[in-house]
Amino acid sequence: MTVAPRPPHNPGLSPRRRSRLRAVQFFGLSLAALTLGGFAVLSAPGTAAPTATTGRGLPQFTLLLAGRDIVYCYYRTPCKNQDQRTGLLQPPNTDTLMLVKVDGTRVDVLNIPRDTNVGDFDPRQSPASQKVNSRYWSGGPQALVQAVETITGEHVDSYVIVRTDYVARVIDALGGLDVTVPPGGIAWVDQAAGVNLKLPAGQHHLNGEQAVLFLRVRKGFGDDYGRIDHQKQALTQLAARLKSSQGLKALPTILGGIGHGVETNADPKLLTTLLPELPQLKLTFATLPTQTIRGTFNLAADREALARVWGKGADEETSGAATPLLTDITVRIVDASGAALGPVLARALRTLGYSRVTVQNAPASGEASQVFTQQDVRAANQLSATLGLPRLQGERFPVEAGEVGILLGTDARQSLAALQALTPTP
């Protein structure tokens, strides 16, 4: 198998920026990836084998969470039987794949790009048939599970497959999604499937149907890696709502998904065992490192790099490194809280020892507050732990080496409420 550096989808990006788009992406403290699929399994029949437990009786298991398309039988007409596999207008695929590894209160989530090749590339076969996103429809959930096991080398205990219409119902139940569309806007029109998403640059509040299209579109975000990045930003926002009173009201919609947009073999006891531990969960996200297979759009998984950047391997790589000095890091605060929390946070950080802190005002935004970085992961982790905010790679807010960013959304009025009690003087 011959691999080559991944070509950019946006020729205007610099080589360094393109390498950043390929870099492994982490962030913590998001419960949405586990909860959107996890709450749904509470009422599932549960055919998976019993899972192991830690010394404290907490579960240890690996779950595959996948999002699949709605199938259409005629022009703009969804099939009555969404499990139908013949007579389709076009075969559907799985657009989103996440491998969730739970070990007690530690949860590691791996995003798998849809174009990842399953095993070694075979030039005698169709490139499309070798992509992981085609396996669910060609062979069902078990074929998808086997493909993910081949790609990652991890054993998968159970799966949760969710349809886009189910995700739309959940987002509506949670009050929609606040997003910021990048310069140039987004336009995705597919007359056959009835898709007509046109969003100019700027802030938007989307309903469930619009939000699903926004989370699936690649144009405007560079490539599949850019799409994965803004999916993570959306998950962070939904996670905060799931933990609120609005999330409790949405439980009937979430729990009603089994057989109506959710397919799973997961044991319902898994989540009930984990529920009391949700506030203590430590979550991290990573994206599978890949290289483009020469002459195709397929991606070859880099298993060696994966061992260094996901799960406990990532800890081993950085555990011996020295903690960055606070004076060596520049912190850039983007204040979209609508409550002038940026200057107050800047003073607090300077008191902690961060000597280089800048504040940039932005229109109030419902996007989730977060810490973003490109290269300085340990410094970002330090800020993330101090503020209790999720951390991820900054696609919308590119930062340079030695710089860590903080986005304050309107949710910071609650999550960082203590800042409002600080006096206006240092």
Side-chain angles (χ1 to χ4, degrees):
M1 179 180 66
T2 303
V3 297
R6 219 168 145 267
H9 287 264
N10 186 341
L13 296 176
S14 67
R16 182 170 63 176
R17 182 71 188 280
R18 290 197 296 268
S19 68
R20 288 175 178 171
L21 290 176
R22 293 196 297 267
V24 175
Q25 305 167 322
F26 288 96
F27 79 95
L29 209 63
S30 171
L31 302 180
L34 190 66
T35 313
L36 283 178
F39 272 130
V41 307
L42 282 173
S43 57
T47 57
T51 58
T53 59
T54 66
R56 295 177 52 199
L58 299 178
Q60 290 179 311
F61 65 96
T62 302
L63 174 76
L64 175 61
L65 178 61
R68 51 153 284 198
D69 298 338
I70 295 176
V71 294
Y72 288 82
C73 286
Y74 303 100
Y75 187 79
R76 294 193 179 188
T77 306
C79 300
K80 292 183 179 180
N81 177 11
Q82 282 295 308
D83 293 325
Q84 182 174 329
R85 280 173 161 74
T86 59
L88 304 178
L89 188 63
Q90 62 183 33
N93 293 309
T94 51
D95 273 346
T96 303
L97 286 172
M98 296 182 183
L99 187 60
V100 183
K101 185 191 296 184
V102 178
D103 185 358
T105 57
R106 177 186 179 122
V107 181
D108 295 297
V109 182
L110 180 70
N111 284 78
I112 302 174
R114 55 174 288 167
D115 294 332
T116 304
N117 206 81
V118 180
D120 293 334
F121 180 75
D122 186 348
R124 298 168 297 180
Q125 298 183 20
S126 162
S129 68
Q130 300 181 61
K131 294 181 180 181
V132 66
N133 71 328
S134 69
R135 291 304 172 94
Y136 169 74
W137 208 251
S138 63
Q142 291 301 332
L144 181 62
V145 166
Q146 292 173 4
V148 170
E149 289 180 335
T150 298
I151 290 169
T152 64
E154 296 281 348
H155 173 71
V156 177
D157 294 305
S158 52
Y159 60 82
V160 177
I161 314 293
V162 297
R163 285 202 315 255
T164 55
D165 57 329
Y166 167 77
V167 177
R169 293 197 301 270
V170 170
I171 292 177
D172 276 333
L174 290 171
L177 188 69
D178 293 302
V179 304
T180 301
V181 175
I186 291 175
W188 180 18
V189 179
D190 184 345
Q191 296 295 340
V195 174
N196 187 11
L197 180 69
K198 294 180 180 179
L199 298 173
Q203 297 184 29
H204 299 268
H205 182 79
L206 308 181
N207 62 29
E209 184 178 357
Q210 293 171 320
V212 166
L213 295 177
F214 175 82
L215 295 175
R216 294 179 60 200
V217 69
R218 285 192 278 187
K219 294 181 180 179
F221 292 97
D223 55 13
D224 199 28
Y225 283 78
R227 176 172 64 175
I228 286 173
D229 188 53
H230 76 263
Q231 285 176 349
K232 292 176 181 179
Q233 291 174 318
L235 288 174
T236 309
Q237 182 183 148
L238 295 175
R241 295 184 183 177
L242 283 166
K243 294 183 288 182
S244 68
S245 58
Q246 193 170 30
L248 294 177
K249 294 178 182 178
L251 282 180
T253 299
I254 297 173
L255 294 174
I258 301 299
H260 302 281
V262 177
E263 181 181 1
T264 182
N265 69 340
D267 188 338
K269 295 180 181 179
L270 293 180
L271 191 64
T272 54
T273 303
L274 195 60
L275 276 175
E277 305 295 330
L278 286 180
Q280 287 75 44
L281 287 183
K282 297 178 61 177
L283 282 82
T284 63
F285 273 62
T287 299
L288 177 73
T290 61
Q291 294 177 304
T292 296
I293 299 174
R294 191 180 301 277
T296 76
F297 292 104
N298 292 29
L299 304 174
D302 189 336
R303 290 276 289 274
E304 183 178 348
L306 175 61
R308 295 194 303 267
V309 301
W310 187 56
K312 294 182 178 179
D315 293 340
E316 294 168 357
E317 182 185 41
T318 61
S319 60
T323 302
L325 295 175
L326 301 185
T327 53
D328 294 337
I329 295 296
T330 296
V331 180
R332 178 161 59 92
I333 301 171
V334 179
D335 186 2
S337 67
L341 293 180
V344 184
L345 176 58
R347 289 196 299 270
L349 292 177
R350 292 187 186 108
T351 301
L352 292 176
Y354 292 90
S355 59
R356 296 183 292 187
V357 184
T358 64
V359 180
Q360 174 186 340
N361 292 321
S365 171
E367 291 191 61
S369 299
Q370 59 197 249
V371 174
F372 50 93
T373 186
Q374 294 287 355
Q375 305 172 21
D376 300 282
V377 175
R378 292 189 301 281
N381 280 344
Q382 197 171 42
L383 276 171
S384 175
T386 299
L387 301 175
L389 296 179
R391 173 181 62 82
L392 69 159
Q393 183 183 12
E395 168 65 15
R396 279 189 49 234
F397 303 99
V399 291
E400 301 299 327
E403 183 181 27
V404 174
I406 301 173
L407 169 65
L408 297 179
T410 54
D411 64 326
R413 301 175 192 176
Q414 284 76 43
S415 61
L416 298 177
L419 290 176
Q420 300 187 43
L422 296 179
T423 58
T425 55

